[in-house]
Amino acid sequence: MNINATLIGQLIAFMVFVWFCMKYVWPPLLAAIEERQKKIADGLEASDRAEKDLELAQQKATGQLKEAKAQAAEIIEQAKKRGSQLVDEETQRGQAEREKIIASGYAEIEAERNRAKEELRKHVAALAVAGAQQILQREIDAQAQNDIVEKLVAEL
Amino acid sequence: MASEQTTQEYIVHHLTNATMCMTDEGLQTNYGKGLEEAATVCQEAGFWVWNIDTLGWSIALGILFLWLFRKVAKSATTGVPSKTQAFVEMVVEFVNDNVRDSFHGKNNLIAPLGLTIFVWVFLMNLMDLVPVDLLPWIAGQIGAATTGVDPHHVYMKVVPTTDLNLPLALGLGVFVLILFYSIKVKGVSGFVKELTMQPFNHWSMIPINFILETVTLLARPFSLALRLFGNLYAGELIFILIATLGLWQLPLHFPWAVFHILVIVLQAFIFMMLTIVYLSLAHEDH
């Protein structure tokens, strides 16, 4: 265990090892470690952000749901109103139609009655004339007695 | 032709590095030589002796560390990491957090330096947990099988941090960085002022300040080196001593190894932490 030339050899070896480590070993390793640290930090930050985003989205969704419900209720309300309105209108229209039909029916019946009355009157006139002819048992100038007949008919 | 070893020979064998040197007679090693001859073979080379086991194991472990981390770094994904990547990132983040806590400045060197020291020193310390005889025994058998030498004459210390050269090299490397950044951040005048005007800010106290601060400064690399070396050398020595106890070693190795798990991680951590702190001090401008 004397101090000898080994000292110089070791000194050179030491320097070469340190130089190699500094040049080729340390930088890539530390770069990888730091890169990963950054990645992890970014990931954590992103997850935090995502969590916050999720909360916001949930809040938004709840709000939208509430709004949609309110809208739906309003629409239903409107539809109900509109429905009852339609029923009312239809009823009114039906009523009017009915009245119109009934009125026209009455008018028709009236016209028919008048026609039947006229016909009847004519028949009765002829019958009356025939009856009178038989009663008088003589020939009466129909022409001369026409005014009497007319008067008779009008009285019927 | 394996020789019987006495306990003393066993301990000395386990504490002897595989050495190599250039002498007048050419390239010499202590490979295959007896203990006395092994101790003297490189004496005339003086300083220029190479502990090839320390160099080999430490460089192999350093390459293992860089290979593993480089492999992960190349295929690092920013998505879900594989288990290896998760482990490597855990280590990197651990070092990075420590650097960020103690070092407040902008410097691209400190963190990789801390990582290299932590993992490399840890891996070298970890060799201490490999059974103390295993790798030297394998080396001895290979030596005996290939070149026919006495397996007890093949020397190999597998824990590089128990060779003072390595901790001292690390400490001196850190010391050079301390000087470099002190001068770079504070300038030469600022650095000199720091050495001479503290802790007593008066011109007459300059010599005392200089002595105090110089000792403080110089103590740093040596305290770093000796702390690591001392802990690991003592640990290794106790493993070796336990191994000489015959059957008693069986229950004793385990608790010491368990305790040592703490020591090897702690020493690697302390070395890294103090390096960061010292360099942080070097960056502070008063």
Side-chain angles (χ1 to χ4, degrees):
Chain A
M1 49 172 220
N2 304 311
I3 300 298
N4 55 30
T6 314
L7 182 73
I8 293 166
Q10 295 293 359
L11 201 56
I12 293 166
F14 179 48
M15 283 169 176
V16 171
F17 288 157
V18 170
W19 170 81
F20 187 88
C21 182
M22 185 173 86
K23 198 92 181 164
Y24 298 107
V25 174
W26 188 265
L29 278 173
L30 203 68
I33 290 171
E34 275 169 357
E35 178 86 36
R36 185 173 319 105
Q37 275 176 341
K38 202 173 149 282
K39 250 178 155 174
I40 292 171
D42 286 354
L44 286 176
E45 198 185 318
S47 93
D48 275 357
R49 229 182 9 242
E51 219 165 287
K52 227 173 267 167
D53 282 357
L54 183 68
E55 208 173 300
L56 270 174
Q58 266 171 349
Q59 272 177 6
K60 215 166 140 190
T62 319
Q64 276 181 340
L65 202 66
K66 221 183 261 175
E67 208 174 301
K69 266 185 189 160
Q71 262 180 359
E74 200 181 319
I75 288 168
I76 290 170
E77 190 67 25
Q78 271 182 353
K80 270 188 190 156
K81 226 187 253 172
R82 177 91 182 114
S84 61
Q85 199 183 337
L86 270 177
V87 169
D88 279 0
E89 269 173 27
E90 256 344 83
T91 317
Q92 271 176 4
R93 220 159 54 90
Q95 200 83 17
E97 193 82 356
R98 197 182 68 161
E99 271 160 23
K100 218 166 87 188
I101 290 167
I102 290 172
S104 77
Y106 273 134
E108 214 165 298
I109 289 166
E110 189 72 12
E112 198 70 13
R113 203 175 64 151
N114 284 349
R115 214 165 46 83
K117 228 181 192 174
E118 200 69 20
E119 202 132 313
L120 203 62
R121 207 182 274 163
K122 273 182 194 153
H123 279 294
V124 169
L127 210 64
V129 170
Q133 259 178 355
Q134 272 178 354
I135 292 163
L136 290 174
Q137 284 191 340
R138 70 177 178 179
E139 211 174 298
I140 298 166
D141 190 0
Q143 209 72 40
Q145 264 47 55
N146 207 28
D147 59 328
I148 300 165
V149 175
E150 285 283 319
K151 215 163 134 193
L152 220 70
V153 169
E155 265 168 40
L156 276 170
Chain B
M1 54 182 250
S3 56
E4 284 300 310
Q5 278 182 311
T6 64
T7 303
Q8 194 195 346
E9 278 170 353
Y10 173 81
I11 293 171
V12 173
H13 171 259
H14 272 61
L15 292 179
T16 305
N17 281 105
T19 54
M20 187 180 83
C21 58
M22 282 297 280
T23 61
D24 295 338
E25 294 136 51
L27 193 67
Q28 297 279 331
T29 68
N30 63 359
Y31 176 78
K33 299 200 166 67
L35 284 175
E36 288 92 46
E37 204 188 338
T40 53
V41 66
C42 278
Q43 228 160 28
E44 60 179 290
F47 178 76
W48 295 102
V49 181
W50 305 88
N51 293 348
I52 46 180
D53 47 359
T54 303
L55 283 167
W57 282 109
S58 65
I59 290 169
L61 290 167
I63 288 171
L64 173 73
F65 150 63
L66 289 175
W67 170 77
L68 176 70
F69 277 55
R70 174 67 185 154
K71 199 180 71 145
V72 170
K74 259 199 299 196
S75 60
T77 77
T78 58
V80 179
S82 67
K83 289 189 175 68
T84 324
Q85 194 189 336
F87 169 73
V88 166
E89 281 183 5
M90 220 170 68
V91 177
V92 168
E93 241 170 310
F94 169 71
V95 173
N96 199 31
D97 285 347
N98 278 313
V99 171
R100 227 177 318 169
D101 285 346
S102 348
F103 183 81
H104 311 285
K106 189 96 188 79
N107 192 321
N108 290 332
L109 175 73
I110 307 292
L113 176 73
L115 180 72
T116 308
I117 287 175
F118 181 60
V119 181
W120 194 28
V121 171
F122 169 73
L123 284 176
M124 291 189 291
N125 291 352
L126 193 63
M127 295 304 289
D128 215 0
L129 292 181
V130 177
V132 71
D133 278 337
L134 181 67
L135 293 172
W137 180 81
I138 291 173
Q141 295 306 311
I142 290 172
T146 53
T147 53
V149 297
D150 186 335
H152 290 148
H153 292 170
V154 177
Y155 304 95
M156 185 167 63
K157 263 175 88 179
V158 295
V159 190
T161 37
T162 60
D163 180 351
L164 186 56
N165 288 302
L166 185 127
L168 203 57
L170 295 186
L172 288 178
V174 172
F175 185 62
V176 169
L177 288 173
I178 292 174
L179 291 182
F180 174 73
Y181 282 115
S182 288
I183 291 169
K184 190 184 167 196
V185 173
K186 300 159 191 163
V188 177
S189 63
F191 185 48
V192 170
K193 211 184 261 174
E194 195 181 81
L195 286 179
T196 52
M197 289 306 187
Q198 279 180 19
F200 309 110
N201 194 0
H202 191 269
W203 62 268
S204 63
M205 301 299 266
I206 283 175
I208 295 171
N209 287 339
F210 185 70
I211 291 166
L212 283 173
E213 286 295 310
T214 309
V215 169
T216 309
L217 190 66
L218 290 178
R220 284 173 186 173
F222 291 105
S223 70
L224 273 179
L226 290 174
R227 183 182 302 107
L228 180 61
F229 167 73
N231 274 281
L232 269 293
Y233 188 77
E236 174 82 346
L237 199 59
I238 289 177
F239 273 121
I240 294 170
L241 290 176
I242 291 173
T244 62
L245 293 179
L247 274 180
W248 282 106
Q249 66 177 291
L250 294 175
L252 283 174
H253 265 309
F254 178 72
W256 183 243
V258 170
F259 175 66
H260 222 60
I261 292 173
L262 184 71
V263 173
I264 61 178
V265 182
L266 196 65
Q267 287 307 318
F269 175 69
I270 289 173
F271 205 111
M272 174 193 82
M273 228 32 234
L274 286 178
T275 302
I276 297 167
V277 170
Y278 289 157
L279 286 174
S280 166
L281 288 175
H283 277 72
E284 260 164 35
D285 211 344
H286 297 284

